[in-house]
Every structure is written in structure tokens, then in C-alpha cells.
Amino acid sequence: MGDSRGNASSSLSFILTGFPGLEDSLYWMFILLGALYSVSILGNSLILVIIKEEQSLHQPMYYFLAMLSINDLCVNCSTLPTVLGTFCFNIREVDFDSCMAQMFFIHLFSWTESGILLAMSFDRYVAICNPLRYSALLTGSSTVKMGLAVLVRSFILILPVPLLLRRLPFCKANILHHAYCLHPDLIRLPCGDTTFNSLFGLSILVSTFGVDSLFIFLSYILILRSILTIVSQTGRSKALNTCVSHICAVLIFYIPMVGVSMIHRYGKQAPPFIHTLMSIIYLFMPPTLNPIIYSIKTKEIHKRMVKMLSRAKLC
């Protein structure tokens, strides 16, 4: 391992962690992870194809859903090499630069997903609380601009993180808790002062996940208040049903993310497999479950997906 700032990137490598005790079960891990990746990639790709081909879905709500699917596919691409290498082929070593690059993209797309979920909550807020201004506020161009703003925000915030890590000397044990590189896992390894890095990481966490989740929560308070003013029971059910898919997407994203953060900060004595299990849930649940939820709960996408699958079966 490198013992100074100058040669860290050229000689340092990290050892990734699989499930302790399951090192001999590569066959079953290959089947499980292959199934998760297949469902995620196929499901998100189908949603993108359906939104592209179905003219009735060319609306802001579905544009945001397309952004979410693209982001989930990017998350899959970020984790795929080391996850399959660790769990399926027992290849555990990753060099410094590759680890920094993977950390950059994993956190970039995680923070982008948080921003997309916030934009989707704004879409539902306007559609339910101020429907007369919906078409004026959320046009195709404004939707694209919101998506670009979310991506740029995430890029600017994550860019300093690998640069700040690179300046630190790494001289401790280089074993990571996960099958990929995450900042909370890497920040415990340097033997220099990591106070600034930790504070910077915490400030970014609060300014992205913290602020986004707060605004999502407030938007749903306003949405619920607006729904309760609807006289018709059918109208209330219909309005609430349009939010169910998004609420599920928010929960399956934020709950595992909070769990991983809590384990890193307060679960230092937890068994190693707990860290590994939480990390897999954190990065696998949203990309795998989002297309399933939206294909079941969104009537237009459900109809089109059933039609496509029926056509494929006939062929």
C-alpha cells in the first residue's frame, strides 16, 4: 500500500468484501445477482421503450420516470463490475483509481436519484394542488432543465470528494465492508486527519438527501391536505392513487440509504455480513423494484407492458 500522498494512487489497492462464510457458494450468488441485475436492466429498459413509443406518455410525469429509469440503469453499470467480480468470480482486489471512479459514479447517481424523486414530488404537487397551472409550469423544456439541474448539482457536489481523499495518506488495513467503493467506507482507512473530509461529506449528505427528503415530505403534506378537500370519495382515491408509485419509490430509496448510514456511523460492532447485506439492499432495491412498482401501479404503462409481453409470447 502507498504510504504517502505522492504514490498512493500508483500502489494502493483495496480488498472488497463478499458475504462472510459464503465464499464457496459462488454458483448460487451468481444466480441471485444475475436475476437481480436482469430484472433491473430489463424492467427499466422496457419502461424507457414504452415511454418513447407511446405518444400519450409524452408528459412531464413520464419524462421524470424515464430519468429515474436511466439513472437506475447507470447505478447498475456502476456496481456491476466489482459486485459480479466479488460475489461470482471471487475477484476482490480493486486498484485506487478504479475505486475512486466507482465511488464517484455511485454517489453521483445516488444523489441524482434523490433529486429526481424531489422533482417527481413537485410534479405531483402541481398536478393535484394547482392543476390549472400544470401545463404552464411543467412543459417539456422545463422538465429537461430540471433534470439537468439535478445532474449538475450532483456532479458539482461529488467532484471534490475523490480529490480530497486522494490527498490523504493510506496506511491502515485496506479491507472494505462492501463489494464496491463507498465514501463512508473509504474515509475510515486513511491514517491522516480526516476531520475535514468527514465534515464535508456530512454537509453534502445534509444538503442533498436531507433537504430533498424534507421538501418531499412537505410536498406530500400539502398534497394530502389538498386531497382531503376533495368532496368525492372517488376523486380522493383517484388523486391519491397517482402518488402511490412515487411514495413507494421514495421509501425504497431513503429507508435503505438511512440504514446504510446508520450502520456505518453506529454499527461498528455489527457482524460483517450486516454491512454487506445493507449495502446490497441499498443499491439493488431501488433499480430492481422501481420498474416493477411503476409497471403494476401505473395503468398506462401496465397496459402497454402486458401488450408487449403478450406479443413476445406469441412470437
Side-chain angles (χ1 to χ4, degrees), residues 23 44 148-149 169 186 260:
E23 289 81 1
N44 286 294
L148 289 175
L186 287 164
V260 169

Side-chain angles (χ1 to χ4, degrees), residues 247-299:
I247 293 172
C248 291
V250 169
L251 293 177
I252 65 175
F253 175 76
Y254 279 104
I255 291 177
M257 184 270 295
V258 171
V260 169
S261 299
M262 296 293 286
I263 285 290
H264 271 292
R265 291 188 180 276
Y266 305 109
K268 292 180 171 56
Q269 304 302 320
F273 77 90
I274 295 294
H275 291 271
T276 307
L277 180 63
M278 286 302 301
S279 71
I280 289 178
I281 292 174
Y282 165 54
L283 285 180
F284 273 86
M285 274 187 64
T288 303
L289 295 183
N290 281 341
I292 296 174
I293 291 169
Y294 276 95
S295 63
I296 293 174
K297 298 300 296 181
T298 307
K299 183 172 64 176

Side-chain angles (χ1 to χ4, degrees), residues 195-265:
T195 303
F196 180 77
N197 295 65
S198 298
L199 291 175
F200 184 77
L202 181 61
S203 66
I204 294 177
L205 194 68
V206 172
S207 62
T208 52
F209 296 135
V211 172
D212 290 351
S213 59
L214 176 62
F215 279 111
I216 291 172
F217 179 72
L218 291 176
S219 70
Y220 271 102
I221 290 178
L222 297 174
I223 288 170
L224 184 61
R225 189 179 68 176
S226 180
I227 289 175
L228 291 176
T229 62
I230 300 174
V231 178
S232 167
Q233 176 66 34
T234 304
R236 286 200 296 267
S237 300
K238 186 177 179 180
L240 187 60
N241 192 54
T242 63
C243 301
V244 170
S245 299
H246 179 253
I247 293 172
C248 291
V250 169
L251 293 177
I252 65 175
F253 175 76
Y254 279 104
I255 291 177
M257 184 270 295
V258 171
V260 169
S261 299
M262 296 293 286
I263 285 290
H264 271 292
R265 291 188 180 276

Side-chain angles (χ1 to χ4, degrees), residues 4-29:
S4 66
R5 295 175 179 82
N7 61 3
S9 61
S10 61
S11 60
L12 179 63
S13 63
F14 300 101
I15 304 300
L16 303 171
T17 303
F19 271 122
L22 295 180
E23 289 81 1
D24 297 328
S25 305
L26 298 182
Y27 176 77
W28 297 109
M29 293 305 300

Side-chain angles (χ1 to χ4, degrees), residues 40-109:
S40 177
I41 293 172
L42 179 62
N44 286 294
S45 299
L46 277 174
I47 285 180
L48 289 174
V49 171
I50 290 171
I51 293 174
K52 179 179 180 296
E53 293 185 353
E54 191 67 42
Q55 290 293 325
S56 63
L57 301 182
H58 292 182
Q59 304 173 32
M61 173 183 174
Y62 299 104
Y63 291 152
F64 287 127
L65 177 56
M67 294 178 195
L68 188 66
S69 294
I70 292 172
N71 192 78
D72 284 341
L73 288 172
C74 291
V75 171
N76 285 330
C77 293
S78 300
T79 60
L80 183 63
T82 56
V83 168
L84 290 185
T86 301
F87 287 111
C88 302
F89 303 106
N90 205 28
I91 301 172
R92 301 179 182 276
E93 189 171 355
V94 58
D95 64 79
F96 184 87
D97 290 330
S98 298
C99 194
M100 290 298 106
Q102 185 181 52
M103 180 199 68
F104 174 85
F105 285 111
I106 287 176
H107 288 296
L108 171 69
F109 296 126

Side-chain angles (χ1 to χ4, degrees), residues 105-126:
F105 285 111
I106 287 176
H107 288 296
L108 171 69
F109 296 126
S110 293
W111 295 340
T112 301
E113 181 145 350
S114 178
I116 293 172
L117 291 173
L118 174 59
M120 294 174 82
S121 72
F122 176 72
D123 171 84
R124 292 299 83 208
Y125 164 75
V126 176

